[in-house]
Amino acid sequence: MMTNPIDILFSLNGRIGRTTWWIASLAVLVAAVAGVFLFNEDNFDESAHAIAEAPTMAAFLWAAICGYVAISLNVKRFNDAARSRWLALAFAVASAALLTGWGLGAFHHPFAATAENVVFWLLALPIALALAEAGTRPSASPSAAA
């Protein structure tokens, strides 16, 4: 198990247990939501010509950092549970596409009946499945995950 917080949050190598994953994932979620709300304030408005529904650059960069941390946590959790890295790759690709769409202002009303929101929910599905798998799967023996 990893004990260094920097390695837990930013390294793609290693393993973490389910409890550590839950604590770190909830902390990243709280930090991401709080940061996006704080960085989307009028104080951070970069340009009068920015896309109206898109987040500020500060909010986007904060969400990108938090997204990378979530990806690294899930990669390590799947390593610990002896799951395929393909599930982590599906989580990473869907997360990056969702973040890019949000950064471009595409997913500002996710419950409205539009074609872009169908894409939003199709991207959210593998993310939800990967999170459910990471949060419920027990750890494998150290020899099985190697």
Side-chain angles (χ1 to χ4, degrees):
M1 296 291 171
M2 306 175 96
T3 56
N4 183 352
I6 299 298
D7 286 341
I8 289 173
L9 297 176
F10 293 101
S11 173
L12 293 173
N13 298 322
R15 300 168 41 150
I16 58 171
R18 191 173 11 174
T19 304
T20 306
W21 179 85
W22 271 108
I23 293 168
S25 293
L26 290 175
V28 168
L29 177 66
V30 168
V33 170
V36 166
F37 280 118
L38 289 173
F39 292 137
N40 263 334
E41 290 293 318
D42 290 335
N43 298 338
F44 288 94
D45 190 18
E46 302 92 16
S47 168
H49 303 291
I51 299 171
E53 301 295 337
T56 62
M57 184 59 74
F60 179 79
L61 291 175
W62 181 256
I65 291 168
C66 291
Y68 175 79
V69 171
I71 289 167
S72 70
L73 288 171
N74 282 302
V75 167
K76 286 191 285 293
R77 180 67 194 120
F78 292 138
N79 286 344
D80 186 59
R83 296 297 292 163
S84 171
R85 290 194 118 171
W86 286 106
L87 192 56
L89 180 63
F91 176 82
V93 168
S95 297
L98 199 59
L99 179 69
T100 303
W102 175 71
L104 294 173
F107 305 129
H108 54 278
H109 298 295
F111 297 106
T114 63
E116 66 189 21
N117 290 335
V118 171
V119 173
F120 172 84
W121 290 109
L122 288 175
L123 290 171
L125 182 63
I127 294 170
L129 293 174
L131 291 175
E133 180 74 15
T136 58
R137 170 101 30 210
S139 296
S141 65
S143 60

